Amino acid sequence: MTRYIRFNAFDMNCVAHQSPGLWRHPRDKSWKYKDLDYWQDLARTLERGIFDGIFIADVIGYYDVYKGSNYHAIEQAAQIPVNDPIQLAAPIALATEHLGIGITASTSFEHPYTFARRLATADHHTKGRIGWNIVTSYLESGAKNISQGGLKTHDNRYEIAAEYVEVLYKLFEGSWEEGAVLRDAERGIFTDPTKVHEIGHKGKYFDVPGYHLCEPSPQRTPVLYQAGASGPGKAFAAGHAECVFVAAPTKNLLRAYVADIRQRAAAAGRDPRKMLIYNLTTLIIAETDAKAQQLFEEYQSYASYDGSLVFMSGWSGIDFGQYAPTDELKKVETNAIVSMIEHFGGKDRVWTVEELAKWGGIGGTGPVFVGSPSTIADILQEWVEETDIDGFNLAYAVTPDSFEAAVDLLVPELQKRGVYPTAYRPGTLREKLFGEGPYLPATHPANAYRDIEAVKRRDAEVATPLRQSAGV
């Protein structure tokens, strides 16, 4: 059976996303991020290219590590201004029939009870095409602006995330039974109250005693995405994620990551082949290699040195503004993205600050491939074969040009080679991705919460000895 290469479009409800300075390019339209027709036009292009989905990143907060302020972030529009991603779901769904819509939302900044309603609503409105990218957040500025004072430690954020998703599983999977909604006009019964249950959650971080506010959406739990690449992040992904995003700059790093995450998933009792892994990648495509190289150099002339280091400083927690351009990176433990420092301070290459800024000027921390459709197809097939990756999370240099080139030039080449789909599967996003049912499989930990009354009895049995030992 042919193993298809899969694409997601990586975007954000902001200007230039991960290519700071490219908003100045005369063909870039990212400044239209405020307009729904911009997103609908892009979504139609992606659906024409049989993309799995549009994956919409997000941050709560702003990048203020570089040179100790947010001046350059604001000046370069480095993910500020930025709008709410979940409000894009409905207009994108109205403009398309199949395209998945991945929404990023943090477990650090919103209570799970209210978020469950927002996510279920989006899954209803899109007829089951929603995915949730689970993040724990890394910007101190975000935590300070919602009265948290500052971020919790890296590992502690994943402990909170684990309980957060447990609450959502209880709400999505256990609160409303199958068949609870009757819509029986003759008897005057819309919902059978005996089939709707309080979840009775009382945990270390959250108390959620009551009912889920929404009837079950087409997928119940939307498709679960996760992008953590540190040790705790990989452990979390192995236990919960259906789609995993990584930003490995080299094949060696990517190969090791994919093998590790699949091994961890198997150890958690999950099928490692039912986990789709996408690597962040930027493609510069033109009709010939020479034209593509010329286009790449044109794009580089618009890239912002300060804007790039705004991101690198924010992602790592290291103020690269304090170093000279020729200084070499050192591995430093931070409370931000530990894995990024491991990537760029690893054994594969020694980086200077200037090289880091140039690398991150287009597309962020993933690789940038430049060439004709044939050249790019060769590269992508090579990466899939050598790393066991499933697909690529495509960032843009200039939008919509980068996505249109992928759809109009690259996709036909990949289809000609028989390594890219020519049509969508029917059904919800989960059915399109995995070819099975709309709900999470029985091997997923969410399955343990479908009989919520049994869960509450089990929790009560565990709690009783604890209370007795405490003299309660």
Side-chain angles (χ1 to χ4, degrees):
M1 181 177 173
T2 300
R3 182 179 179 184
Y4 288 135
I5 293 173
R6 319 183 72 102
F7 288 155
N8 282 300
F10 190 39
D11 210 332
M12 191 167 170
N13 200 353
C14 68
V15 179
H17 191 197
Q18 296 202 103
S19 295
L22 271 294
W23 57 268
R24 298 182 300 129
H25 193 282
R27 291 194 304 278
D28 186 78
K29 294 183 180 179
S30 64
W31 59 272
K32 291 187 64 180
Y33 75 98
K34 310 176 301 300
D35 302 333
L36 292 183
D37 59 349
Y38 162 80
W39 292 101
Q40 291 184 317
D41 289 344
L42 175 59
R44 293 185 189 101
T45 296
L46 301 175
E47 183 157 281
R48 181 162 51 84
I50 323 295
F51 276 49
D52 285 345
I54 179 169
F55 172 66
I56 306 172
D58 191 34
V59 291
I60 298 294
Y62 36 81
Y63 295 85
D64 57 2
V65 175
Y66 183 62
K67 297 187 178 181
S69 80
N70 58 18
Y71 179 90
H72 289 285
I74 294 174
E75 180 187 64
Q76 298 297 320
Q79 297 180 9
I80 182 171
V82 56
N83 286 349
D84 181 14
I86 203 167
Q87 295 190 50
L88 296 176
I92 288 174
L94 286 171
T96 57
E97 183 181 356
H98 301 286
L99 188 71
I101 306 160
I103 301 298
T104 298
S106 176
T107 57
S108 297
F109 296 147
E110 184 169 359
H111 195 280
Y113 188 68
T114 53
F115 178 64
R117 182 174 70 162
R118 293 208 303 136
L119 201 58
T121 301
D123 201 49
H124 278 299
H125 286 173
T126 62
K127 292 183 168 58
R129 287 194 273 147
I130 287 293
W132 171 34
N133 177 38
I134 308 166
V135 298
T136 61
S137 296
Y138 53 87
L139 293 180
E140 291 283 351
S141 60
K144 290 175 180 177
N145 277 296
I146 62 165
S147 304
Q148 289 186 0
L151 280 178
K152 296 177 174 62
T153 64
H154 183 270
D155 291 3
N156 181 248
R157 296 201 301 275
Y158 277 104
E159 182 183 4
I160 294 169
E163 185 178 339
Y164 196 105
V165 297
E166 178 185 342
V167 173
L168 290 191
Y169 295 155
K170 289 176 178 180
L171 292 168
F172 289 149
E173 302 291 338
S175 186
W176 291 61
E177 295 181 28
E178 288 292 301
V181 176
L182 302 176
R183 291 188 290 275
D184 187 335
E186 185 174 335
R187 292 192 296 158
I189 302 173
F190 191 87
T191 302
D192 181 350
T194 67
K195 293 186 177 182
V196 183
H197 306 268
E198 294 181 314
I199 67 169
H201 180 88
K202 188 173 182 61
K204 182 177 180 180
Y205 300 104
F206 303 106
D207 286 345
V208 184
Y211 308 97
H212 184 30
L213 292 170
C214 303
E215 64 178 278
S217 69
Q219 298 181 112
R220 281 191 175 260
T221 299
V223 172
L224 299 172
Y225 299 79
Q226 211 267 337
S230 63
K234 286 188 285 189
F236 187 90
H240 299 277
E242 299 172 90
C243 299
V244 178
F245 297 140
V246 62
T250 69
K251 282 189 287 187
N252 287 339
L253 285 169
L254 183 58
R255 184 186 305 112
Y257 176 89
V258 173
D260 184 26
I261 204 73
R262 293 203 196 280
Q263 184 179 19
R264 288 172 183 257
R270 301 178 62 203
D271 183 349
R273 305 313 315 180
K274 293 296 176 65
M275 174 182 283
L276 299 176
I277 306 175
Y278 302 78
N279 195 54
L280 174 64
T281 304
T282 304
L283 306 178
I284 311 298
I285 311 167
E287 290 81 0
T288 66
D289 289 344
K291 288 183 178 180
Q293 184 61 38
Q294 183 180 14
L295 186 61
F296 180 46
E297 292 170 3
E298 175 188 320
Y299 288 162
Q300 284 184 312
S301 71
Y302 287 91
S304 168
Y305 177 91
D306 286 323
S308 179
L309 291 184
V310 163
F311 286 149
M312 294 301 175
S313 297
W315 293 336
S316 67
I318 300 168
D319 179 7
F320 289 110
Q322 65 186 305
Y323 302 110
T326 55
D327 284 347
E328 294 179 353
L329 297 184
K330 305 294 182 183
K331 183 177 178 181
V332 180
E333 284 293 319
T334 74
N335 192 29
I337 300 181
V338 176
S339 58
M340 198 203 85
I341 302 305
E342 293 173 347
H343 277 19
F344 289 100
K347 63 183 180 180
D348 290 79
R349 175 177 172 181
V350 176
W351 292 77
T352 66
V353 172
E354 186 174 36
E355 288 171 332
L356 179 65
K358 187 173 182 179
W359 175 280
I362 295 179
T365 59
V368 178
F369 300 139
V370 181
S372 67
S374 178
T375 296
I376 298 296
D378 288 343
I379 293 171
L380 297 186
Q381 285 188 267
E382 179 183 288
W383 275 59
V384 169
E385 290 166 4
E386 295 186 18
T387 69
D388 194 30
I389 196 76
D390 294 291
F392 300 90
N393 212 24
L394 299 184
Y396 66 82
V398 167
T399 186
D401 285 17
S402 295
F403 296 124
E404 290 175 347
V407 169
D408 295 331
L409 299 176
L410 178 60
V411 165
E413 175 66 24
L414 294 172
Q415 289 173 330
K416 184 174 68 176
R417 300 182 184 203
V419 295
Y420 192 86
T422 57
Y424 286 100
R425 289 174 173 144
T428 64
L429 176 57
R430 184 170 285 117
E431 290 170 289
K432 294 179 194 299
L433 293 176
F434 302 104
E436 297 178 354
Y439 296 162
L440 283 164
T443 55
H444 193 277
N447 185 59
Y449 300 99
R450 286 173 177 158
D451 185 345
I452 196 66
E453 295 301 329
V455 171
K456 289 190 287 188
R457 288 193 297 271
R458 181 194 65 204
D459 289 348
E461 291 169 359
V462 171
T464 298
L466 292 175
R467 287 197 294 268
Q468 290 173 343
S469 66
V472 178

